[in-house]
Amino acid sequence: MNRRQFLATSGASALTATAIPSALAQTGSGDARLRAMLDGFFYERLDDSPEQATRLGLDTGKRAALRGKLSDTSAAGVARDVARTKAQARQLAGIDRKTLTPASQLDYDVVSYQLDRGIGGEKFGYGETAGRYAPYILSQLTGSYRELPDFLDSQHRVKDAADADAYLSRLEAFPAALDGETARQKADAAKGVFAPDYILDTTMKMQASLRDQTPAQTVLVASFVRKLAEAGLPPARAVQAEKIVADTIFPAIDRQRALVADLRAKASHDAGVWRLPDGEAFYAAAAEAATTTAMTGDEIHRLGLDQVTEISGRIDAILKGEGMSQGTVGDRLVALNKRPDQLFPNTDPGREQLLAQLNNQIIAMQARLGESFNTVPKAPVEVRRVPVTIQAGAPGGYYQNASLDGSRPAIYFINLRDTFDRPKFGLATLTHHEAVPGHHLQVSVALESDSIPMIRRRGFYSGYSEGWALYAEQLADEMGMYKGDPLGQVGYLQSLLFRATRLVVDSGMHAKRWSREKATDYLIATTGIARGRSQGEIDRYTVWPGQACSYKIGHTVWNELREEVKRKQGQQFDLKAFHDVLTVGAMPLDILKQTVRRRAGIA
């Protein structure tokens, strides 16, 4: 299991490892044993996942030493993770499921699925296959070179001298993380597994943004200097940080850059994983891991084409009502994107205006959450710009949960490399997806629960979580957030269209051997999304095969389940009660179907 994917398969709580909620007083005979076992699984993983301990605020007390460590990225570290996952699977199999109450049976089923998935990708022998499938160790979206600087900047707190020393300790561990991935990528390259040329071009650009400056200018040092000053600590440790960066981190980056440059000289331009060893099977496994339901590449492609047609028709009707009737839907969306009234200036003041609008949208939705939810998050969420050093390869937006100790809010990151990529009419729906009632609500409701095991509280299954976030965009529309704002509703429908189009281009590249250019042109022509953003999206799907399919497939399942429950319950249907399923944590879509039907009394 990759520690950077720990949160994809784990959860957390402020409870201790031995704390058992009072709700377990009424249990099956095996419930307490299962809970203790699952808590043990969680802490075994946490002890090998220092970054996640920090993100969750659990690097304290007897785990304070984790604050100065980084995960082992070497092949030996990966092998140790796999061995632990296999051992945990054997332990779990020793529990008799029939001795468990329904709630504990759900925990058993979800964790069993999770462990099987963590082992299943081992057969391919390359890339990352625990959690999200990523065939390339080094890319614009994978690798410590892009993850750790941002982690140290945004997550590692410096409140006292011990924290500062832990920061230096992590800087000293950074070269080993880089070298571990360099060695694994080199080994994969010997099997013919490395990213296409255009991906390596962006990777080298991002590596250069960290390396081609003085040590003092790097975020590694500059952030540390700021934190020392804010903590009232003397600046002497900053000199140590500069020396570590210059003497050990920069040489490790240089070694990695040399490998990437060598691979770039040999790289193919083919986008799909079909060109890799057992590539067709890899894509099938990647798509199933992301969607948590089995569909062939052809089935995904056909579903996408059908939904593109349906959603385009809905957008067409609104645009005609706004006097925009000439050209295809994609042409008209391109024209709308170019309108001056829909653009923030591509300047720092313009970006600040954009961020302010997003924060206002969060406030407006938070005020109305009680209309549709019985349980809402306690943790706050704020919007921040994706760090400039990684914006060239980062997604358009993403969410980072709050720490459990309340010391750090949840963060909704938005990529503002070019404000043209983020027109005003589409901003609200992105906010509803990443913040409320999307990822922030779904993640935090589970994370803040004390009734489900720690290992499941930050569980992430892309079909469930991304499907929920897309459903949340729809829910915002149903709540009337776009009343009197037809262009805002176009932005929402464009988002749905975008996710349907993902089904077409993802399966197109990886199952039907589409080129990067064909996929990009189709995305632009269909959705009207700006070329810069569209190109970044296609490049993302190149290195995360199948993941882009999870949104619309998950959205479809959430909608089908809601309609099924409404038909069963009729006038007794309660939307808040339906949404209460969030309180039992994330799960694979097939298990979600069973859970929703059981809760609704559907046979």
Side-chain angles (χ1 to χ4, degrees), residues 15-237:
L15 300 173
T16 66
T18 57
I20 305 297
S22 58
L24 285 179
Q26 297 179 347
T27 64
S29 61
D31 284 15
R33 181 186 172 204
L34 177 68
R35 175 58 67 92
M37 180 181 291
L38 296 185
D39 286 350
F41 289 177
F42 169 74
Y43 281 105
E44 286 174 11
R45 297 178 184 187
L46 191 71
D47 287 342
D48 267 349
S49 306
E51 296 92 332
Q52 305 310 333
T54 294
R55 288 189 175 101
L56 292 166
L58 297 178
D59 56 352
T60 58
K62 67 179 182 180
R63 291 183 174 81
L66 293 176
R67 205 177 313 162
K69 297 180 180 180
L70 296 175
S71 299
D72 183 353
T73 67
S74 69
V78 173
R80 185 170 59 250
D81 286 340
V82 172
R84 181 179 58 242
T85 301
K86 290 179 177 178
Q88 291 180 346
R90 289 192 297 270
Q91 284 181 263
L92 185 62
I95 296 280
D96 183 353
R97 188 180 180 278
K98 295 191 294 294
T99 67
L100 305 174
T101 57
S104 292
Q105 287 179 347
L106 175 61
D107 295 334
Y108 181 100
D109 292 343
V110 172
V111 176
S112 178
Y113 177 95
Q114 176 191 118
L115 293 170
D116 288 345
R117 187 177 69 170
I119 298 166
E122 182 188 16
K123 62 187 177 185
F124 294 106
Y126 59 81
E128 298 283 5
T129 56
R132 176 186 292 141
Y133 274 53
Y136 314 118
I137 302 300
L138 297 175
S139 74
Q140 87 283 19
L141 290 175
T142 53
S144 296
Y145 82 92
R146 69 175 302 281
E147 296 168 355
L148 287 179
D150 180 47
F151 164 77
L152 290 169
D153 178 32
S154 65
Q155 302 292 316
H156 188 109
R157 288 162 285 171
V158 176
K159 300 294 185 183
D160 53 31
D163 289 344
D165 289 340
Y167 188 100
L168 291 173
S169 179
R170 278 179 158 160
L171 286 184
E172 290 172 339
F174 195 172
L178 291 165
D179 287 339
E181 291 166 342
T182 300
R184 287 167 60 207
Q185 179 61 84
K186 188 173 182 178
D188 282 359
K191 304 171 187 175
V193 181
F194 51 97
D197 53 10
Y198 58 92
I199 295 296
L200 295 176
D201 285 340
T202 304
T203 303
M204 290 190 292
K205 178 180 178 181
M206 293 173 65
Q207 289 173 326
S209 71
L210 174 62
R211 174 64 179 86
D212 293 348
Q213 55 190 326
T214 67
Q217 292 172 317
T218 65
V219 67
L220 297 168
V221 177
S223 173
F224 190 43
V225 169
R226 185 189 73 249
K227 291 176 181 181
L228 289 172
E230 291 172 350
L233 295 170
R237 287 182 178 84

Side-chain angles (χ1 to χ4, degrees), residues 245-263:
V245 171
D247 292 351
T248 63
I249 295 176
F250 275 1
I253 294 173
D254 289 340
R255 291 190 289 274
Q256 195 169 92
R257 291 175 79 184
L259 173 63
V260 173
D262 178 63
L263 296 178

Side-chain angles (χ1 to χ4, degrees), residues 204-470:
M204 290 190 292
K205 178 180 178 181
M206 293 173 65
Q207 289 173 326
S209 71
L210 174 62
R211 174 64 179 86
D212 293 348
Q213 55 190 326
T214 67
Q217 292 172 317
T218 65
V219 67
L220 297 168
V221 177
S223 173
F224 190 43
V225 169
R226 185 189 73 249
K227 291 176 181 181
L228 289 172
E230 291 172 350
L233 295 170
R237 287 182 178 84
V239 177
Q240 293 177 256
E242 285 188 53
K243 182 173 175 55
I244 294 168
V245 171
D247 292 351
T248 63
I249 295 176
F250 275 1
I253 294 173
D254 289 340
R255 291 190 289 274
Q256 195 169 92
R257 291 175 79 184
L259 173 63
V260 173
D262 178 63
L263 296 178
R264 173 61 180 84
K266 308 170 185 175
S268 165
H269 191 67
D270 292 324
V273 295
W274 53 265
R275 66 185 176 83
L276 304 179
D278 209 12
E280 292 183 2
F282 189 94
Y283 180 59
E288 184 168 358
T291 64
T292 62
T293 192
M295 294 180 69
T296 67
D298 283 343
E299 288 172 336
I300 292 170
H301 202 75
R302 285 196 301 272
L303 176 64
L305 291 172
D306 289 344
Q307 295 204 358
V308 163
T309 299
E310 187 270 328
I311 299 166
S312 295
R314 295 170 65 187
I315 296 174
D316 178 55
I318 298 175
L319 291 177
K320 285 179 177 175
E322 292 299 297
M324 301 177 69
S325 59
Q326 300 301 310
T328 67
V329 167
D331 290 338
R332 282 173 278 167
L333 289 171
V334 168
L336 182 60
N337 197 147
K338 292 179 179 178
R339 279 178 26 179
D341 67 310
Q342 293 300 315
L343 298 174
F344 285 97
N346 195 36
T347 61
D348 285 341
R351 293 181 177 91
E352 289 301 319
Q353 293 174 37
L354 189 154
L355 292 171
Q357 178 166 316
L358 296 180
N359 276 309
N360 288 335
Q361 289 165 349
I362 289 174
I363 293 169
M365 175 53 82
Q366 283 177 324
R368 297 190 55 187
L369 289 179
E371 298 172 19
S372 299
F373 297 93
N374 288 317
T375 305
V376 298
K378 299 180 180 68
V381 59
E382 62 182 49
V383 186
R384 295 184 190 174
R385 180 182 178 183
V386 169
V388 174
T389 53
I390 64 170
Q391 66 182 9
Y398 54 92
Y399 172 79
Q400 189 177 90
N401 63 273
S403 62
L404 288 166
D405 60 4
S407 63
R408 187 180 58 255
I411 304 169
Y412 148 32
F413 284 99
I414 183 168
N415 196 325
L416 297 181
R417 59 189 169 220
D418 189 340
T419 58
F420 183 76
D421 294 341
R422 290 296 172 192
K424 295 178 182 179
F425 70 91
L427 287 176
T429 200
L430 182 64
T431 299
H432 298 144
H433 182 104
E434 299 293 347
V436 283
H439 286 316
H440 179 58
L441 186 145
Q442 178 256 308
V443 169
S444 295
V445 163
L447 191 62
E448 294 169 359
S449 169
D450 63 358
S451 62
I452 55 178
M454 293 174 282
I455 198 169
R456 291 196 51 232
R457 292 188 194 172
R458 185 54 182 92
F460 180 84
Y461 300 90
S462 195
Y464 175 102
S465 297
E466 297 297 358
W468 169 265
L470 197 53

